[in-house]
Every structure is written in structure tokens, then in C-alpha cells.
Amino acid sequence: MTDLWLPSLKTDTPQAGFELAVKLSRMGVKLTQPSDQVRSQLRAAYEQDSAQLITASHVIAVHFQTVAAANNWWR
Amino acid sequence: MTDLWLPSLKTDTPQAGFELAVKLSRMGVKLTQPSDQVRSQLRAAYEQDSAQLITASHVIAVHFQTVAAANNWWR
Amino acid sequence: MTDLWLPSLKTDTPQAGFELAVKLSRMGVKLTQPSDQVRSQLRAAYEQDSAQLITASHVIAVHFQTVAAANNWWR
Amino acid sequence: MTDLWLPSLKTDTPQAGFELAVKLSRMGVKLTQPSDQVRSQLRAAYEQDSAQLITASHVIAVHFQTVAAANNWWR
Amino acid sequence: MTDLWLPSLKTDTPQAGFELAVKLSRMGVKLTQPSDQVRSQLRAAYEQDSAQLITASHVIAVHFQTVAAANNWWR
Amino acid sequence: MTDLWLPSLKTDTPQAGFELAVKLSRMGVKLTQPSDQVRSQLRAAYEQDSAQLITASHVIAVHFQTVAAANNWWR
């Protein structure tokens, strides 16, 4: 993966910061399971599983802490 | 999702901050599973499952840390 | 829920702060499952389940971080 | 519970801080399941379950963050 | 393990910091299960398990908080 | 346990800090299950279980946050 996908943690708005947190969560999965095909199959399953959706939301929450701190909480 | 749903992390009170943390938790799920219908079906199940309710409360707790810091703990 | 239940994160003592963390954990569950009856049924089950008790303790720990920071660790 | 069990987050040493983190973890369980008898029965089971022991260690880690910060990391 | 594998938490870019977080997550597993052969067998299983992939992403998120703070969020 | 096992959170290098985080994770388990024999039996099982290895790595990550902060991130 030589693409530049994370140039900065700065975002213009809290909402853009939340979307970055979602992206970081997905990149954590992608760097562990690089196959698009396998991830796509798994996605079909976990999107129907509330426990996994809550866990995915948890990971987003952890990354949102980081992004919010990086942006001084958009104060 | 082009709506503005997170204009700021500032809230007037700790309680409003807690409610924002609940909203952020739900948005983490919604951005992972955008279908209102699927989320509604899953909700019926997990609302009866104490382990998932505790996990949902955990995600709220993580977001509440972020919101509280953003508001300088409403000191 | 229009009650005022969280007027402040300030507490006089660390122990009162811990009790507030317990309350915040429960409110996270309550705002996800508002029915007193359902929560009461679920409580009977999870109070006998050590894994869920440890998870509940985990949520308390996360909220206690927030409350302790809000009180400057009662230094 | 009207006992004073948490007078302060200050400890003389990091090791005493770790022991306080263990205590806080247990108090999180105790305040959720106050029956000594039930907790004692559950303890017999989870002490033989590695997944639950790791989770208990996780809760201790979260509290240790709080205690360490309260003590300015014993610098 | 006498190799030097973690000379610094500083990275030039956020993306390099994320990659370091991935490495730290893996080292946490490796120091617990040092056998390359066992880890390789386990990897084949968990790479197909969405719940475990999300959990792996969670660990990366926690380490990314640390790395980001170490780099002053690359501000 | 009257041994001195945690004299300080200071380490000379990030890598030594990571090793201290591993130690803290294990001490969290040991203080919950003091029997060397039981822990040794459990270890044989969880070392073959990827989900538990990832969870162990998670606990290390939380402690590494604490140790890194205590060392001002070795800046």
C-alpha cells in the first residue's frame, strides 16, 4: 500500500472528523485483511449482526477521540 | 449523507453532552449500516440483550470522554 | 427524558465520583433501552453472569476516567 | 455502601497505584452485584476462564491509567 | 527478543504513524505467542472472521492514539 | 505479594516501555488468578486462540498508553 491515504488528521469540521474516524476504522481492517473480496464477503455478514455493528461503532469512537484531539476539538 | 448532523462538540450542559455521546454512538452504527430497515430489525433484538446493551453503553462512554474534553468538562 | 439528572461532573470526593461513574454507565443503558420493565428482567440475568459484570465494570472504568479528569483527580 | 473505601487516588508508589486499580475494578463489579455470595460463586468460575481473566486485566489497565494520571505518573 | 524493533514513536507522517500502530498491535500478539508457526495458523482463521478483524482494528486504534500523541498529532 | 515488581514507570527506551506494558498486562491477570498452576494451564489454551491473543494485545495497548505518557513519549 504505497498510496497516500492519510495526509493529515486535520479536518475543517467535527463531522468531517467523524468521517475520518470511520475511514481509519476501515483501514485498520484493510491492513489486517487486504483482500477486497474477502472483506466484501465478511461485510455482508457483519452488517446484519448488531453486536459487530456496535463493536465497529466502538472503534470509530476511539479514532474519533484521536481526530478530535488533533483538531483541538474544533474549538 | 450530506446532512449537517454534527455542527459542534460544544454543549451547554453535561447532560446535553451525554445526549450528544449517545447520538455519536448511533451515527457510528448508521455509517456502517446505512439501511434504516436493517438497523430497525437489529434494534429489536439487541434491546433485549443485556450484553449488547452494556457494549452500547461502553461506546457512549468513549464518546462522552471526547465530548467532555471538548467542553473542558463544563468547569 | 426531560429530567435533569446530570447537573455537573464535579463531586466532592473520589468515591462520589466513582458513584457518578456507575450512574453514567447505567444511563448509557437506560437511554438505549428505556423500558424499566425490560431492563429489570435483563438485570436478573446479567447479575449472575461474570463476563457481563466485568464488562459493566469496564464501562464504569471509562466513565471514571472522565469524572476524575473533570475533578482534576481530586488533587 | 456508606463506608469510605476511596479516600484518594494518590498512592506512594506505582505498585500501590496498580493495587488501587485492582481494587477499583473489583468495586465496579461489587456495585453492580452487591451480593458477596453471588460474587463468590462467580469468582470460582471466571478464575478458570482465560478470556474473563484477560478482560479483568483490561479493566485494571483502564483504572491504572486514571490512577497513574492522578499521581502525575509518579515522576 | 533482543532485536531493536521500536527505536522511536516518532514518524514523519500520520500514515507512517498508522503503520507503526499496526506493527505495535502485532508485536502485542507476538510477545504473547512467540511461535511464528502458531501465529501463522491462527492468522489463516482470524482473517476470515469479521469479529476478530474488527477487534484487531480496535487494538490498532488504541495504539494510534499513543503514536499520534507522541507526534503531537503531526500538527 | 510483597515483592517490589513495579518500582517505576520510567524506561530508557520505547521498546523497554512496551515490554513493561506486557508485564503490567500479565500482572493484571496474576493478581486476579494468583495460582501459577492454573495460569499455566490456561496459557496453554489461550495461546492457541486468536481472539484471546488479540484481546491480550489490546490490554498491552492500554498499558502502553500509560507507560508512554509516563515517559513523555520518549521525546
Side-chain angles (χ1 to χ4, degrees), chain A residues 22-68:
Chain A
V22 173
K23 180 180 179 176
L24 292 169
S25 303
R26 290 181 180 164
M27 287 306 295
V29 172
K30 186 171 184 173
L31 289 167
T32 309
Q33 173 47 277
S35 160
D36 288 342
Q37 192 189 329
V38 173
R39 286 202 319 282
S40 171
Q41 290 168 343
L42 294 175
R43 173 174 280 270
Y46 87 72
E47 283 182 345
Q48 306 287 331
D49 180 334
S50 58
Q52 291 189 51
L53 287 171
I54 296 170
T55 312
S57 176
H58 197 157
V59 183
I60 293 167
V62 175
H63 280 305
F64 188 58
Q65 287 195 331
T66 309
V67 174

Side-chain angles (χ1 to χ4, degrees), chain A residues 32-33 42, chain E residues 26 29 39 41-54 56, chain F residues 50-51 54:
Chain A
T32 309
Q33 173 47 277
L42 294 175
Chain E
R26 290 180 181 165
V29 172
R39 286 202 318 283
Q41 290 168 343
L42 295 175
R43 173 174 282 270
Y46 87 72
E47 283 183 345
Q48 306 288 330
D49 179 336
S50 58
Q52 291 188 50
L53 287 171
I54 296 170
Chain F
S50 58
I54 296 170

